[in-house]
Amino acid sequence: LGVDEPTILPSSPFYAFKDLWRGAKVMFTFNKIAKAEKRLKIANERLTEAKKVAEEKGEEAQSHLDKALEKYNKEMEKVEKAIEKVKGRAVDNSAMEKFANNLADSEIKKQKIFQIMEEKSSEEAKMKIMEAKEKSAQVFGKILTVVVSQEKIAGHINNALENQTGSELRSFKNLEILKELEEKVPEEARDAIRQAEENTLARLGEAMNKMETGERVIKIKK
């Protein structure tokens, strides 16, 4: 997600100072798009913290995770509010395009992180993680429809997918993520998601066609 490994977590008594420092950095950022970018980075940091907290053991582990996920949800709402203030203003289009690319890239990665968290968590924790994952997808869809025109949404999602790391069959996972996003994003973004699914399926077909039959069977089975 382009953020550092967290050392101070929401379960730490020093976490309040970390939040104060984050708030100060946002407060002294005056460019509206730069402020939204900073909020997005903080949201990414908060999810990385939540992933780390999800690995904690003990009686208080669940309350720590609930707190971390709640902070992530609130931060994504702040990203939405920050970008709403840009709507209808004369802004640098290249900056908006860059923000849209960063937003799409980070959301696809975050959906994968949520899946990893679900697989490793208790049933009680899993419910909270699923709620946060769904909320994240919803807010992502809303923000993207504000940042760029409807015709450009698919392009930004495709750019993000092409830059994902993984094996030559990573399109399998990308398709899974897109299917989940399609169910959660606002209606006006769904056609773009479906278009991205078609493109991803085509990329998967190309990757498979480059393999020998035996290799293809082994890799798909894996």
Side-chain angles (χ1 to χ4, degrees), residues 52-68:
K52 197 92 169 174
V53 168
E55 298 166 5
E56 290 182 354
K57 306 295 181 187
E59 294 181 5
E60 296 183 351
Q62 183 61 47
S63 65
H64 291 163
L65 179 60
D66 290 352
K67 183 179 177 182

Side-chain angles (χ1 to χ4, degrees), residues 40-53:
L40 180 61
K41 185 177 180 182
I42 294 171
N44 291 349
E45 289 173 351
R46 291 198 188 282
L47 182 58
T48 307
E49 291 166 359
K51 182 176 181 289
K52 197 92 169 174
V53 168

Side-chain angles (χ1 to χ4, degrees), residues 7 13 23 53 93-94 105 142 148 150 156 179 187 197 221:
T7 53
V53 168
N93 283 334
S94 63
D105 179 69
K142 288 179 186 175
V148 293
Q150 199 167 338
H156 286 290
K179 273 294 176 188
E187 186 63 43
E197 285 170 9
K221 192 172 182 179

Side-chain angles (χ1 to χ4, degrees), residues 191-202:
D191 283 343
I193 298 286
R194 292 184 191 111
Q195 189 180 330
E197 285 170 9
E198 290 175 14
N199 293 338
T200 304
L201 194 57

Side-chain angles (χ1 to χ4, degrees), residues 14-182:
F14 301 105
Y15 192 77
F17 296 104
K18 186 177 182 179
D19 267 351
L20 282 172
W21 175 240
R22 282 169 169 163
K25 286 194 287 186
V26 172
M27 187 184 299
F28 291 103
T29 302
F30 302 106
N31 179 280
K32 299 294 183 186
I33 301 175
K35 194 180 283 280
E37 284 275 13
K38 200 148 282 186
R39 284 289 185 197
L40 180 61
K41 185 177 180 182
I42 294 171
N44 291 349
E45 289 173 351
R46 291 198 188 282
L47 182 58
T48 307
E49 291 166 359
K51 182 176 181 289
K52 197 92 169 174
V53 168
E55 298 166 5
E56 290 182 354
K57 306 295 181 187
E59 294 181 5
E60 296 183 351
Q62 183 61 47
S63 65
H64 291 163
L65 179 60
D66 290 352
K67 183 179 177 182
L69 290 172
E70 184 183 344
K71 283 182 174 292
Y72 170 74
N73 289 336
K74 286 182 178 177
E75 201 64 53
M76 283 300 289
E77 289 172 1
K78 288 176 183 177
V79 178
E80 184 182 0
K81 288 175 183 175
I83 212 67
E84 278 283 355
K85 292 177 181 177
V86 181
K87 190 176 181 180
R89 296 191 177 199
V91 295
D92 180 355
N93 283 334
S94 63
M96 288 290 268
E97 296 288 330
K98 181 185 173 187
F99 177 80
N101 280 332
N102 289 342
L103 179 71
D105 179 69
S106 67
E107 187 59 32
I108 290 164
K109 289 174 181 173
K110 286 189 289 186
Q111 289 292 317
K112 291 176 183 177
I113 289 171
F114 278 124
Q115 284 189 343
I116 293 167
M117 290 171 67
E118 283 179 61
E119 290 165 8
K120 296 182 178 180
S121 299
S122 65
E123 286 303 313
E124 185 182 1
K126 196 175 289 186
M127 291 301 295
K128 291 289 185 180
I129 293 165
M130 288 172 67
E131 287 171 13
K133 181 170 78 167
E134 185 171 331
K135 172 89 172 175
S136 186
Q138 290 170 346
V139 176
F140 158 71
K142 288 179 186 175
I143 296 171
L144 203 55
T145 54
V146 170
V147 175
V148 293
S149 62
Q150 199 167 338
E151 311 85 68
K152 289 186 174 182
I153 292 174
H156 286 290
I157 293 171
N158 282 321
N159 286 342
L161 290 169
E162 285 174 7
N163 291 324
Q164 298 296 301
T165 57
S167 75
E168 61 269 58
L169 294 180
R170 60 187 174 276
S171 294
F172 269 126
K173 175 59 71 177
N174 290 339
L175 275 170
E176 184 184 357
I177 297 299
L178 288 170
K179 273 294 176 188
E180 291 199 7
L181 285 174
E182 183 188 340

